[in-house]
C-alpha cells in the first residue's frame, strides 16, 4: 500500500454529536477485547430444585489471556 495514511483517512467519517468512526483494516488483523473480563456463577446448586442456585457468587472464568479459554480449551474441559 503506497499511501496507507491517505486510505485510512478516507475511511474516517463524522457523525452527529461530534462522533467519528473508522471502518477498515488496521495493522492488527485479529482483535477481540475480552482481556480482563470475568464470569461468575453461584457456588452451589440446590439438589432437588432444578434451576435454583444458592451461595455466594464465585469467579469461574478470568479472560486475562484473550481467547485461550475459547480457542485452546475443548468444550468438555471448560468446567475443570
Amino acid at each position: 500500500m503506497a499511501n496507507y495514511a491517505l486510505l485510512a483517512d478516507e475511511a474516517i467519517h463524522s457523525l452527529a454529536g461530534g462522533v467519528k468512526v473508522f471502518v477498515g483494516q488496521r495493522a492488527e488483523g485479529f482483535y477481540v477485547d475480552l482481556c480482563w473480563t470475568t464470569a461468575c456463577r453461584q457456588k452451589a446448586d440446590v439438589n432437588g430444585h432444578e434451576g435454583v442456585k444458592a451461595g455466594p457468587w464465585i469467579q469461574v472464568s478470568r479472560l486475562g489471556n484473550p481467547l485461550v479459554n475459547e480457542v485452546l480449551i475443548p468444550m468438555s474441559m471448560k468446567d475443570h
Side-chain angles (χ1 to χ4, degrees), residues 15-38:
L15 302 178
V19 175
K20 290 187 175 190
V21 296
F22 171 83
V23 179
Q25 197 169 10
R26 286 295 193 191
E28 175 62 45
F30 182 78
Y31 179 77
V32 177
D33 192 10
L34 294 176
C35 301
W36 305 111
T37 62
T38 185

Side-chain angles (χ1 to χ4, degrees), residues 15-77:
L15 302 178
V19 175
K20 290 187 175 190
V21 296
F22 171 83
V23 179
Q25 197 169 10
R26 286 295 193 191
E28 175 62 45
F30 182 78
Y31 179 77
V32 177
D33 192 10
L34 294 176
C35 301
W36 305 111
T37 62
T38 185
C40 296
R41 68 170 177 84
Q42 284 186 287
K43 189 171 184 174
D45 289 330
V46 178
N47 289 333
H49 295 83
E50 189 173 326
V52 176
K53 308 291 184 194
W57 289 90
I58 58 169
Q59 186 177 24
V60 293
S61 178
R62 178 82 185 240
L63 297 174
N65 297 317
L67 300 178
V68 169
N69 186 40
E70 287 72 15
V71 176
L72 300 178
I73 301 173
M75 284 296 284
S76 62
M77 299 297 293

